[in-house]
Amino acid sequence: PARSRDELPPVMAALQHIFVTPELNASVFSILEQKICADKKRTGRQGMDLWEILVLGVARMALDCDYDRLHYLANYDGLMRGILGVEVTGFGAEQKEYKYQTIRDNVALLDEELIERINAIVVEEGHRIVNKKRGPRPKHKG
């Protein structure tokens, strides 16, 4: 929602832009894979994919929320679930449920250095978009 005064919608819009912009997506996921997947074996245990970790980690930082609120948002907020790629269903229907400990264990993998690296890429993309909309700057005479 473009007119919401809540902090979450603009953050989700930025995440959506990362997801649908191939170059940005590749850069962000490369960083995530290097940090989170390095030296890890595929154990087959249930967890979260890199996109889910990124979405929940960014939301937690943007909202400055604890894991209890994040757990609630991941399981019951329609906007959050939509960005996560999890179907929002009616009462009684089967749906993916995120366990509290799974969220805590996975989101904790996003450390400050990792977020700063991703943030730098996203800020660069923001500057590119703004400059593209403005067009070339006029040259000064004199």
Side-chain angles (χ1 to χ4, degrees):
R3 294 185 172 237
S4 175
R5 294 180 359 172
D6 188 70
E7 301 95 346
L8 192 57
V11 172
M12 294 296 109
L15 285 165
Q16 184 178 28
H17 183 75
I18 291 170
F19 191 81
V20 300
T21 307
E23 307 83 31
L24 187 57
N25 185 301
S27 296
V28 169
F29 276 92
S30 174
I31 291 170
L32 288 170
E33 287 172 359
Q34 288 171 12
K35 176 71 177 186
I36 294 176
C37 299
D39 302 325
K40 294 216 166 79
K41 294 180 184 177
R42 297 241 179 236
T43 59
R45 99 181 166 177
Q46 200 171 28
M48 295 167 53
D49 63 30
L50 293 175
W51 176 248
E52 291 167 311
I53 294 169
L54 179 65
V55 169
L56 293 174
V58 168
R60 180 170 187 262
M61 290 192 330
L63 299 174
D64 192 26
C65 67
D66 60 17
Y67 285 105
D68 291 314
R69 180 165 184 216
L70 191 61
H71 180 242
Y72 173 82
L73 290 169
N75 286 311
Y76 303 108
D77 184 82
L79 177 60
M80 176 75 75
R81 290 183 66 80
I83 294 295
L84 285 166
V86 179
E87 186 176 340
V88 178
T89 60
F91 291 106
E94 284 291 319
Q95 66 181 16
K96 180 172 184 172
E97 180 180 332
Y98 293 94
K99 303 291 184 205
Y100 175 87
Q101 196 62 48
T102 301
I103 292 173
R104 189 172 180 101
D105 292 346
N106 284 286
V107 171
L109 297 172
L110 297 176
D111 61 20
E112 190 174 335
E113 183 232 340
L114 180 65
I115 294 299
E116 286 177 7
R117 288 178 61 198
I118 292 171
N119 189 48
I121 293 169
V122 172
V123 168
E124 186 178 311
E125 173 71 3
H127 289 301
R128 187 190 67 74
I129 291 170
V130 168
N131 289 335
K132 188 176 180 181
K133 286 181 180 178
R134 284 186 190 160
R137 292 184 177 194
K139 294 184 180 179
H140 293 288
K141 293 181 181 177

